[in-house]
Amino acid sequence: MIVDNGGDPPPAGSAGRRIAMAAAEGVDRLITRLCRFIVLVTGIALTVLLAGNVVARYVLASGGIDAAQELPELLFPWFIVAGISLAAQAGGHLGVDWFYDRLGPRGRVWLLHLVNAILIVSYLILFWQSLLLAENTWVQVSPVLKIPTSQGYLAVALGCLLLALAAACSSVRIVMTGPERRFTLSYKETGP
């Protein structure tokens, strides 16, 4: 159980602190590795497909490869969702710190917890709604490859789940170490 100490981190030797931090860091590492893998694989695939299709337009009489025109539409949501999740872990989102900067240490902690709670609830609702949309569109398939178009909604669902988990991990870090360490990645570390 995490207890509020008025913005102060719990004592350094507590077992609960170590377990909570280890869990938060483990989840964050998993999110980072998964998202970096998705960005790397889809980024390479998008580059190869788009470049290959440009070459094929000039070489082939058909004017290109039909599948190469369809695959980027299917891969792009996964690429974007993974990038957004990495950016959230680094604090690379739009934010206005005017109010945050005017609060004391205790107020900052409470504000960050409130924001994270709103994010978690919102992203979990979006996660669930994306799954429902994916289920409803499962029968719609792409014209050439016959891949269900619902996979785009599954990408959004995964992204919302990862963002909710990242916000929860951020709240754990805020309680354990203070608001200065709420992000796990620096901007330099967001790349693959």
Side-chain angles (χ1 to χ4, degrees):
M1 183 171 147
I2 298 173
V3 179
D4 175 41
N5 297 352
D8 298 328
S14 71
R17 178 181 186 271
R18 287 191 304 272
I19 291 170
M21 281 300 291
E25 289 173 359
V27 170
D28 272 327
R29 270 193 307 278
L30 179 66
I31 292 170
T32 301
R33 288 179 181 156
L34 174 66
C35 290
R36 285 180 176 173
F37 176 76
I38 291 171
V39 166
L40 181 66
V41 169
T42 56
I44 291 170
L46 286 167
T47 302
V48 168
L49 286 167
L50 293 172
N53 198 33
V54 168
V55 170
R57 277 191 227 150
Y58 295 105
V59 174
L60 301 176
S62 64
I65 304 167
D66 291 337
Q69 295 173 8
E70 208 171 84
L71 277 172
E73 292 177 15
L74 299 172
L75 292 175
F76 195 65
W78 297 95
F79 183 74
I80 294 300
V81 160
I84 289 169
S85 298
L86 285 172
Q89 286 186 309
H93 51 76
L94 289 176
V96 178
D97 292 337
W98 178 86
F99 187 61
Y100 176 83
D101 291 339
R102 280 155 182 70
L103 296 173
R106 178 178 250 170
R108 289 178 179 179
V109 167
W110 282 103
L111 177 64
L112 292 172
H113 285 310
L114 174 65
V115 168
N116 281 341
I118 292 168
L119 288 174
I120 291 166
V121 169
S122 300
Y123 284 132
L124 289 177
I125 290 169
L126 289 171
F127 165 74
W128 181 250
Q129 292 302 311
S130 296
L131 288 179
L132 292 176
L133 285 170
E135 182 181 349
N136 290 333
T137 59
W138 188 255
V139 294
Q140 298 173 359
V141 294
S142 61
V144 175
L145 299 173
K146 305 299 183 208
I147 296 173
T149 56
S150 61
Q151 62 82 35
Y153 294 112
L154 293 175
V156 172
L158 175 66
C160 290
L161 181 61
L162 294 177
L163 290 166
L165 287 171
C169 292
S170 175
S171 278
V172 169
R173 276 190 310 282
I174 290 166
V175 168
M176 299 300 152
T177 62
E180 294 76 29
R181 268 206 69 226
R182 64 186 182 267
F183 304 118
T184 56
L185 299 175
S186 70
Y187 289 109
K188 295 176 185 176
E189 296 175 319
T190 55

